[in-house]
Amino acid sequence: MGGTMGPGGPMGPIDPMERYQYAREMRQGSGMHGLGFMHSAGFLLGEYVNFEIDSDGAVIDYSVSGFPVFDRIYFENFQYEENITTGTVTRVIGDDASKTILIHDNPSGNINLMASTAAEAVFELSDGVTAGEIEGGIMIESEELTAYILSSYYQGTAVTFTIEQDTVRADMPAGGMVVVRTGAVNLPIGSGPYREMWRSANRIMARGVATGRFGCEIAIGNQSTYSPVNYRTGITCWADHFDRNRLRIRVQSTEPTGTLVGINFDNRSFNVGDPDRLQVRLNDRLMNRTMNLDRLYNETESPQCWWLAQDNAFQMLCNIPRFSEQVITIETGGAPEVTPAVTPEATPTPVPTPAPSPTPIASPSGTATPTPTQPGFGVALAIAGLLAVAYIIKRGL
């Protein structure tokens, strides 16, 4: 059972799905559409992710698309300082900024927990959620969804997990990062013919996070909003152009090694049409589509992509063989050729954020507190949050 909220202020306890439906009505009534958080009665309400922050800095009553996942998420002995919400990201900060929890509003319910000093993170599971060990982390499941708590290859440090009844504990060394990733809830695969492929794709993405093969992911939302998430050091991604017939994603890395990039979008932000006529290009060259996920994961030198579509929603994985900057363009069938991207004169260092989008992108309107800012600015802060921690770790603070 979740917290207390309702029209006009607090009311009796409501469950996560009721809170999710209420949040949708409130967001629509205030004119807020697309990805991003707004505040109401102590809750942070996103298009997909809802939660509350307790007085000690614990994230409580965490749910994705109305499905409960965690009762509480917190660091042991955490000296809570503040929380900051900017667009699609909320940061919970403590211990002189040495420990941070980043919560993203997107279909994959991403959470990053980072610590520049040794720490123990705790995940108390909601009723009906079970946990089991997998390579690189923990898989948690309920009747409605599957999610993963993973040791991210952020600084090459390994996190140790233990399961105690309905609680998962993560023993994080200095410089460690834990990632939570849910199978994207905007693809209602259910028991259809793609169920096994979808399960396999999510396992491969989880393995990629743990090994560093899966570098970053971006979700494109309604009203030109988007949510980028980094899974490894020195890599950033953002959307610099999208309309009904074309999406353009830029990916930068300070390391030459290639990576997998995840992209999620649906028919509200893109004219999906016939999924089989979709064209995906790396810079100006058409990428081959593969249905073999193991091949995509293992053939690191081949620029290729995989995607699965269901009910006008897409989950895509693209392999980029090498860097520094690459451009992925997604078009509906028959779209005109893409003009090759111009490579910046200087390769960014790990600390600065990406340059502003050359195509201004409108932000959602509404009464959120604070008001969601331009998505590009939200990306900068999200990335800055990750890179700042990396900087602190590097300095040994």
Side-chain angles (χ1 to χ4, degrees), residues 283-353:
N283 299 321
D284 59 344
R285 305 182 70 174
L286 193 67
M287 298 181 76
N288 291 325
R289 182 186 181 186
T290 180
M291 299 301 290
N292 187 326
L293 285 161
D294 288 327
R295 177 181 176 183
L296 180 74
Y297 188 92
N298 293 316
E299 294 185 7
T300 59
E301 294 302 314
S302 175
Q304 55 186 322
C305 59
W306 167 93
W307 67 77
L308 184 63
Q310 185 80 355
D311 288 359
N312 292 322
F314 273 74
Q315 179 68 50
M316 182 176 290
L317 273 177
C318 298
N319 180 55
I320 299 179
R322 59 192 62 85
F323 282 99
S324 58
E325 179 178 304
Q326 303 284 6
V327 180
I328 299 172
T329 304
I330 305 167
E331 299 173 313
T332 56
E337 292 292 318
V338 179
T339 302
V342 177
T343 303
E345 294 181 3
T347 301
T349 62
V351 176
T353 58

Side-chain angles (χ1 to χ4, degrees), residues 95-159:
D95 291 350
D96 295 327
S98 66
K99 298 182 181 67
T100 305
I101 304 174
L102 279 74
I103 305 102
H104 303 262
D105 180 34
N106 59 40
S108 296
N110 290 108
I111 306 173
N112 302 87
L113 293 90
M114 300 175 292
S116 60
T117 59
E120 184 177 31
V122 183
F123 301 84
E124 297 180 4
L125 307 181
S126 299
D127 290 343
V129 179
T130 59
E133 294 185 12
I134 60 170
E135 182 180 355
I138 303 292
M139 182 174 73
I140 59 175
E141 292 185 292
S142 68
E143 291 184 359
E144 296 84 11
L145 53 74
T146 300
Y148 300 86
I149 307 173
L150 302 162
S151 173
S152 172
Y153 195 80
Y154 191 69
Q155 292 285 342
T157 55
V159 175

Side-chain angles (χ1 to χ4, degrees), residues 117-340:
T117 59
E120 184 177 31
V122 183
F123 301 84
E124 297 180 4
L125 307 181
S126 299
D127 290 343
V129 179
T130 59
E133 294 185 12
I134 60 170
E135 182 180 355
I138 303 292
M139 182 174 73
I140 59 175
E141 292 185 292
S142 68
E143 291 184 359
E144 296 84 11
L145 53 74
T146 300
Y148 300 86
I149 307 173
L150 302 162
S151 173
S152 172
Y153 195 80
Y154 191 69
Q155 292 285 342
T157 55
V159 175
T160 303
F161 295 95
T162 56
I163 301 173
E164 301 173 358
Q165 295 183 336
D166 297 328
T167 299
V168 175
R169 294 183 176 273
D171 186 7
M172 303 170 61
M177 183 167 83
V178 172
V179 168
V180 176
R181 186 186 186 280
T182 302
V185 294
N186 61 340
L187 274 78
I189 301 299
S191 58
Y194 297 116
R195 178 174 175 81
E196 286 308 313
M197 181 183 290
W198 181 234
R199 290 174 64 88
S200 177
N202 281 296
R203 286 194 294 266
I204 281 178
M205 285 184 272
R207 175 160 41 114
V209 170
T211 60
R213 179 76 177 94
F214 191 9
C216 62
E217 184 169 19
I218 187 168
I220 308 296
N222 196 15
Q223 294 291 308
S224 300
T225 55
Y226 60 95
S227 170
V229 181
N230 295 11
Y231 296 132
R232 106 181 176 197
T233 312
I235 189 166
T236 60
C237 62
W238 72 99
D240 77 346
H241 173 88
F242 44 95
D243 55 37
R244 293 298 300 169
N245 297 307
R246 178 184 295 180
L247 304 176
R248 188 167 63 216
I249 311 298
R250 291 186 181 272
V251 187
Q252 286 185 344
S253 177
T254 58
E255 299 178 5
T257 308
T259 191
L260 289 174
V261 176
I263 305 170
N264 181 286
F265 57 92
D266 59 38
N267 200 46
R268 295 173 303 164
S269 56
F270 185 74
N271 184 20
V272 172
D274 182 355
D276 293 328
R277 296 190 63 206
L278 209 64
Q279 296 179 351
V280 184
R281 300 175 187 271
L282 182 61
N283 299 321
D284 59 344
R285 305 182 70 174
L286 193 67
M287 298 181 76
N288 291 325
R289 182 186 181 186
T290 180
M291 299 301 290
N292 187 326
L293 285 161
D294 288 327
R295 177 181 176 183
L296 180 74
Y297 188 92
N298 293 316
E299 294 185 7
T300 59
E301 294 302 314
S302 175
Q304 55 186 322
C305 59
W306 167 93
W307 67 77
L308 184 63
Q310 185 80 355
D311 288 359
N312 292 322
F314 273 74
Q315 179 68 50
M316 182 176 290
L317 273 177
C318 298
N319 180 55
I320 299 179
R322 59 192 62 85
F323 282 99
S324 58
E325 179 178 304
Q326 303 284 6
V327 180
I328 299 172
T329 304
I330 305 167
E331 299 173 313
T332 56
E337 292 292 318
V338 179
T339 302

Side-chain angles (χ1 to χ4, degrees), residues 72-119:
R72 291 177 66 86
I73 307 168
Y74 59 94
F75 286 109
E76 289 281 17
N77 303 313
F78 185 58
Q79 300 299 313
Y80 174 51
E81 294 167 0
E82 61 177 340
N83 70 84
I84 302 170
T85 297
T86 307
T88 63
V89 181
T90 294
R91 291 181 290 165
V92 181
I93 302 167
D95 291 350
D96 295 327
S98 66
K99 298 182 181 67
T100 305
I101 304 174
L102 279 74
I103 305 102
H104 303 262
D105 180 34
N106 59 40
S108 296
N110 290 108
I111 306 173
N112 302 87
L113 293 90
M114 300 175 292
S116 60
T117 59

